[in-house]
Amino acid sequence: MAQIYDYLVIGAGPAGMAAAIETSNAGLSVLVLDQASSAGGQIYRNLGHADKQQTSVLGSNYGAGKPLLECFMAANCDYQSSVQVWHIETHTKGFLVAAIVAGETKSFLTSHLLLAHGAMERPMAITGWHKPGVLTAGAGQILLKSSALMPKEVVLVGSGPLLLLLAQQYRVAGVAIKAILDTTPKSNYWYAIPWLVAGLTNPMELFKGLWLTLVQRIKIPYISGVSHLEVMGDEQVSGVKYTVSDRVYNIDCKLVMLHQGIIAQTQMAQMLRCAMVWNERQQCWQIKADVMGYTSIPGVQVAGDGGSIGGALLAQIEGRVAGMGRVFNTPVVSPWHKKWVYSWLRFRVKQLRWARGLVDRLYRPAEWLSKPADQTIVCRCEQVNAKTIRSIVNSGCAGVNQLKRFTRAGMGACQGRQCGLNLSHLVAQTQQRPMAEVEPLSVRPPLSPINLGQLAKSLRL
């Protein structure tokens, strides 16, 4: 028998925690399902168990989440960690969510659903990215936060604030960083200059970003203007080859960490057939939503980086706005001052979104990254390279979903998370179509791998 809740939140990051606090304080029955073993999301991962030394290494932004985490853990809501949501569908009573809890399949019913599952790193399909010895910067940070594990030596490759933050954390922790290979196009700096005014609306974050960039450039071998990267080695990584100003260079290394910004996770929303839009500024698909986070499907909301990338503070505010939006749509009578708070929070969302314009323009991915070399493996699960994809698209393939049937690209264990965006780019480029006209890769259950026993049990629920 499925348990029934007034509000079901998927994700216990800043957005999910803030929404759960707001709605549970209003008296609604709230369930929060989270994939991680402890609340906090990626930004505040393992914060509740981190010691002083670990918090010192990870920086002030990491420790800033403690008040929110403590408030969430004290809230009157049902919180379940280490949960793998593998299916969501509409139901006569609202929405049915199927998940794996402690190895068993469980189902939950809710009239209203909030998707606060956060973002994922943009897949950086360069030649050799599938080899042992290549990780993402996000994976490196997860290991650092959850287990205090770090490499002895590493080369950091890519662009974006997270790459610089990880470099700072590794440097403080004593990791030898052989080099930072920055792929940010120099033209991006000119495009971003007019948006410095927007950045000044959030001066502390702007100052931290500038200081972080300056420190890494001074303390670590920092190579900018990098293009046409290739991870070298046969069975495992032996080095990185890259180009700067038409000259080719090599760095010997055994571990490479890639990062090219983050993009919204949309798989759950796609499963519910929520309307999607192409965000040209952030170069990714995102869920279409109004100011309260409501999507095109009544009863479904989205908040935080799972909707549009904005960072921890914006995610927290959006989560609270979404929670208020849910409370306002119930018979629960809200205190008069809540309307004023809600108006102020909506203003802050608009302000922070505008300020985010500086980051989006400065770290917009280089165009060459969406044009992998023919030998580059684009779909790592099914080992499909760019040449095969271009050949099939040229033969008259209608789009990414037909391409998926022809090549099996997107049918692997990741369900297209690591190749879907790159497949869309290849289709758009080969057929000379705008990305907004190319359909995103379709999503089907299960969202994550489950065994036959768990699937059979779900059919009996």
Side-chain angles (χ1 to χ4, degrees), residues 203-438:
M204 287 302 296
E205 291 301 313
L206 178 61
F207 175 76
K208 285 180 184 178
L210 292 173
W211 176 251
L212 191 63
T213 303
L214 181 63
V215 167
Q216 305 324 311
R217 285 180 178 268
I218 294 173
K219 299 284 186 179
I220 300 169
Y222 196 104
I223 303 166
S224 58
V226 171
S227 65
H228 301 92
L229 287 150
E230 182 178 348
V231 178
M232 308 300 291
D234 296 324
E235 297 300 321
Q236 62 183 32
V237 174
S238 63
V240 181
K241 183 165 70 174
Y242 62 94
T243 301
V244 177
S245 300
D246 296 325
R247 294 187 64 182
V248 179
Y249 300 87
N250 287 280
I251 294 180
D252 293 332
C253 63
K254 294 183 179 179
L255 179 64
V256 177
M257 289 188 181
L258 307 176
H259 182 73
Q260 199 59 230
I262 57 177
I263 59 176
Q265 291 199 66
T266 61
Q267 287 78 17
M268 292 185 185
Q270 286 179 263
M271 184 168 280
L272 289 166
R273 300 188 183 281
C274 296
M276 310 293 295
V277 293
W278 173 254
N279 188 325
E280 181 64 26
R281 194 173 75 183
Q282 295 186 349
Q283 286 289 290
C284 66
W285 294 98
Q286 69 178 52
I287 307 161
K288 186 177 182 180
D290 65 14
V291 292
M292 285 188 180
Y294 279 103
T295 68
S296 60
I297 303 298
V300 178
Q301 291 173 286
V302 62
D305 287 347
S308 181
I309 308 303
L313 177 59
L314 180 56
Q316 182 177 338
I317 296 174
E318 285 187 340
R320 193 175 177 191
V321 168
M324 286 183 167
R326 171 67 180 107
V327 174
F328 292 161
N329 286 330
T330 66
V332 176
V333 178
S334 299
W336 65 269
H337 70 273
K338 282 286 184 180
K339 299 288 186 180
W340 293 97
V341 173
Y342 174 72
S343 298
W344 165 247
L345 291 176
R346 282 184 55 179
F347 170 75
R348 282 290 286 153
V349 167
K350 291 180 180 178
Q351 184 186 46
L352 291 172
R353 281 269 170 240
W354 189 53
R356 177 72 192 186
L358 174 63
V359 176
D360 291 340
R361 285 161 176 79
L362 180 58
Y363 295 115
R364 182 185 173 98
E367 190 174 345
W368 64 267
L369 283 163
S370 64
K371 300 176 179 179
D374 282 347
Q375 73 273 20
T376 302
I377 299 293
V378 176
C379 176
R380 297 184 296 186
C381 297
E382 299 295 330
Q383 294 289 294
V384 184
N385 63 28
K387 182 178 181 179
T388 300
I389 292 167
R390 289 189 176 105
S391 176
I392 291 175
V393 173
N394 272 323
S395 67
C397 180
V400 290
N401 289 301
Q402 191 176 54
L403 178 67
K404 177 180 178 180
R405 298 183 186 98
F406 287 153
T407 64
R408 291 190 57 81
M411 288 188 180
C414 81
Q415 290 289 283
R417 288 175 178 83
Q418 294 299 313
C419 65
L421 184 59
N422 288 319
L423 291 177
S424 295
H425 275 299
L426 286 169
V427 169
Q429 292 160 12
T430 305
Q431 297 182 347
Q432 297 183 343
R433 296 162 59 190
M435 275 291 288
E437 294 181 6
V438 178

Side-chain angles (χ1 to χ4, degrees), residues 77-96:
C77 65
D78 187 355
Y79 162 60
Q80 298 192 28
S81 61
S82 302
V83 174
Q84 188 68 52
V85 175
W86 64 270
H87 184 50
I88 308 173
E89 63 181 40
T90 55
H91 189 272
T92 53
K93 295 183 179 179
F95 304 94
L96 178 70

